[in-house]
């Protein structure tokens, strides 16, 4: 038997269904308002819909296609969900609490094809793209971890997967997240983090330049970047930077470049100076990310002295630097780590 369609999946199926039921088209929006704004968890909760309509929705649609396989809470308030999808695949999403910010980090794919050598998500490659409904369901699940007087303030697409490799499904989900009747999150509070795919960046610049773009750099020369971020071999830093510049021209917003510091690999003062040369003159923020150790991988954090020397050298070169604080490390909140641990545990 075919599973019921997902109410969060866009397209005209709900519109057609409502018309078949003799219902006005605006009912679709009130259903979404119930789900996103009012955190209903069933059709029965949608008390201003006619009772028979609620019953027919219940019979013909699903709200939830995922189940919570694990739920971790860290002492700093970070919460992480491992969601099991309808086909048994698992993805992660995270809620971060920082003063009055409530940021959610969501996944765009099951696994990842980019192969960054220090990242847990890509170790087994990409399995599949997430659907728009599955991307949205992460937001619904995370919003329901908050008390009623708190709401999601920011979205970062920095979970598993390469978002620019799944733009067709991601963009409708991010559009829904902005809807004033739903989550109402403005575009500037939504960050899309990419390994740096020029075609994807250009498409985003043409269609949706209002998002905050973060480009994962990790190295300032092609030889090292290709070692750390293998897709760089076919792209090259020059093209990554040129497309980032075009995005900046379209958006007028400062870009972020991410840099995971790996001890003895990309943390020398010399490398900091080549980073200064690369970023110099650009309206850019350098986001230095502490490495989250992944079991079985050989990388380690830099020594505190090496880290400070690196940061000093980039600051001296005039680059705006932000050092991301580690959050939720004890619950393996970094990309793909919980899913991997869980998969390993299930094999023993
Ligand atoms: N594919 C996208 C988005 C997902 S990864 C991208 O590459 O940007 C989000 C960020 O986390 C990227 O900068 C990625 O390089 C970084 N990251 C991956 N594994 C990490 C780890 N073990 N420790 C710290 N940061 C990591």
């Amino acid at each position: 038997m075919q599973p019921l369609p997902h109410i969060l999946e866009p397209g005209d199926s709900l519109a057609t269904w409502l018309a078949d039921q003799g219902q006005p088209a605006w009912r679709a929006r009130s259903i979404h308002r119930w789900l996103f704004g009012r955190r209903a968890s069933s059709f029965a909760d949608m008390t201003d819909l006619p009772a028979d309509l609620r019953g027919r929705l219940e019979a013909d649609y699903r709200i939830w296609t995922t189940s919570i396989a694990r739920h971790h809470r860290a002492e700093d308030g970070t919460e992480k969900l491992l969601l099991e999808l309808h086909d048994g695949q698992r993805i992660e999403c995270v809620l971060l609490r920082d003063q009055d910010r409530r940021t959610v980090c969501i996944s765009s794919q099951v696994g990842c094809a980019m192969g960054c050598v220090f990242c847990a998500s890509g170790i087994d490659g990409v399995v599949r793209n997430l659907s728009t409904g599955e991307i949205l369901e992460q937001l619904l699940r995370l919003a329901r971890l908050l008390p009623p007087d708190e709401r999601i303030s920011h979205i970062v697409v920095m979970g598993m997967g390469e978002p620019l490799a799944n733009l067709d499904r991601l963009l409708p989900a991010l559009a829904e997240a902005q809807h004033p009747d739903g989550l109402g999150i403005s575009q500037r509070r939504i960050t899309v983090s990419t390994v740096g795919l020029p075609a994807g960046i250009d498409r985003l610049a043409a269609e949706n330049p209002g998002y905050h773009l973060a480009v994962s750099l990790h190295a300032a020369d092609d030889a090292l970047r290709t070692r750390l971020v293998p897709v760089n071999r076919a792209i090259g830093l020059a093209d990554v930077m040129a497309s980032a510049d075009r995005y900046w021209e379209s958006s007028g917003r400062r870009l972020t470049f991410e840099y995971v510091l790996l001890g003895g690999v990309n943390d020398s003062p010399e490398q900091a100076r080549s980073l200064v040369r690369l970023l110099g003159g650009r309206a850019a923020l350098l986001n230095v990310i502490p490495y989250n150790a992944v079991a079985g991988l050989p990388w380690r954090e830099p020594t505190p002295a090496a880290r400070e020397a690196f940061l000093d050298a980039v600051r001296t070169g005039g680059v705006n630097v932000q050092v991301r604080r580690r959050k939720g490390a004890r619950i393996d909140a970094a990309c793909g780590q919980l899913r991997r641990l869980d998969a390993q545990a299930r094999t023993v």
Side-chain angles (χ1 to χ4, degrees):
M1 206 180 76
Q2 277 287 337
L4 297 177
H6 192 191
I7 196 83
L8 299 177
E9 210 50 64
D12 48 15
S13 105
L14 181 59
T16 314
W17 184 90
L18 284 168
D20 288 349
Q21 308 287 323
Q23 291 289 330
W26 52 260
R27 289 272 192 227
R29 189 33 55 202
S30 49
I31 293 167
H32 275 217
R33 189 183 316 126
W34 271 109
L35 291 171
F36 290 96
R38 306 171 81 170
R39 299 183 199 169
S41 48
S42 69
F43 293 112
D45 288 347
M46 303 181 181
T47 47
D48 61 2
L49 299 186
D52 63 327
L53 178 63
R54 278 181 262 156
R56 275 177 282 144
L57 280 165
E58 195 75 57
D60 286 356
Y61 282 98
R62 303 184 282 175
I63 297 176
W64 306 106
T65 65
T66 70
S67 59
I68 299 179
R70 290 203 190 190
H71 180 182
H72 292 256
R73 290 183 190 84
E75 279 161 20
D76 62 10
T78 303
E79 296 188 52
K80 177 161 189 161
L81 298 177
L82 182 69
L83 296 181
E84 181 156 322
L85 309 177
H86 66 85
D87 56 0
Q89 294 295 335
R90 293 179 167 206
I91 56 161
E92 301 171 13
C93 54
V94 182
L95 167 69
L96 298 131
R97 294 177 158 93
D98 189 9
Q99 296 175 16
D100 55 0
R101 283 187 179 217
R102 298 290 176 269
T103 303
V104 296
C105 175
I106 57 173
S107 294
S108 54
Q109 298 181 309
V110 179
C112 185
M114 300 300 117
C116 301
V117 295
F118 49 83
C119 175
S121 297
I123 293 176
D124 301 315
V126 66
V127 179
R128 66 172 175 87
N129 284 324
L130 293 182
S131 68
T132 299
E134 287 167 335
I135 295 170
L136 286 170
E137 208 172 313
Q138 298 172 66
L139 298 176
L140 291 193
R141 294 272 186 206
L142 293 164
R144 281 156 180 73
L145 302 179
L146 292 170
D149 60 337
E150 290 183 12
R151 44 199 295 275
I152 296 173
S153 63
H154 294 75
I155 297 176
V156 296
V157 191
M158 286 191 189
M160 289 168 58
E162 168 50 42
L164 298 193
N166 190 18
L167 273 178
D168 286 342
R169 285 130 206 126
L170 177 67
L171 290 177
L174 296 183
E176 174 61 48
Q178 290 163 59
H179 204 288
D181 274 348
L183 294 177
I185 301 171
S186 83
Q187 213 177 5
R188 32 195 329 112
R189 292 178 171 212
I190 299 176
T191 299
V192 177
S193 175
T194 176
V195 73
L197 304 180
I201 295 175
D202 284 340
R203 179 172 163 199
L204 207 58
E207 295 178 22
N208 296 86
Y211 294 116
H212 176 208
L213 186 70
V215 178
S216 297
L217 211 52
H218 310 315
D221 66 85
D222 272 318
L224 181 60
R225 189 163 195 268
T226 294
R227 201 180 128 206
L228 299 178
V229 180
V231 287
N232 187 65
R233 184 183 303 280
I235 302 171
L237 264 172
D239 282 1
V240 173
M241 298 308 287
S243 62
D245 287 344
R246 289 191 292 274
Y247 191 83
W248 177 75
E249 278 160 27
S250 311
S251 72
R253 297 190 58 200
R254 183 170 74 165
L255 264 61
T256 295
F257 291 94
E258 294 163 281
Y259 198 99
V260 174
L261 269 185
L262 302 170
V265 176
N266 65 355
D267 64 340
S268 74
E270 241 165 19
Q271 285 158 330
R273 283 189 288 273
S274 54
L275 193 55
V276 167
R277 283 192 294 277
L278 185 71
L279 297 181
R282 288 186 160 90
L285 176 73
L286 181 71
N287 192 353
V288 173
I289 310 175
Y291 171 60
N292 259 302
V294 177
L297 297 186
W299 320 100
R300 57 178 172 78
E301 277 200 85
T303 61
R307 182 170 167 278
E308 287 318 306
F310 181 89
L311 291 173
D312 266 0
V314 276
R315 286 192 186 111
T316 308
V319 173
N320 294 308
V321 190
Q322 171 187 303
V323 182
R324 195 191 288 170
R325 271 172 299 154
R326 188 189 299 284
K327 281 194 152 262
R330 301 243 323 264
I331 56 168
D332 291 308
C335 331
Q337 294 191 27
L338 180 62
R339 163 178 171 263
R340 243 192 113 61
L341 275 182
D342 191 70
Q344 275 160 5
R346 286 196 293 169
T347 61
V348 293

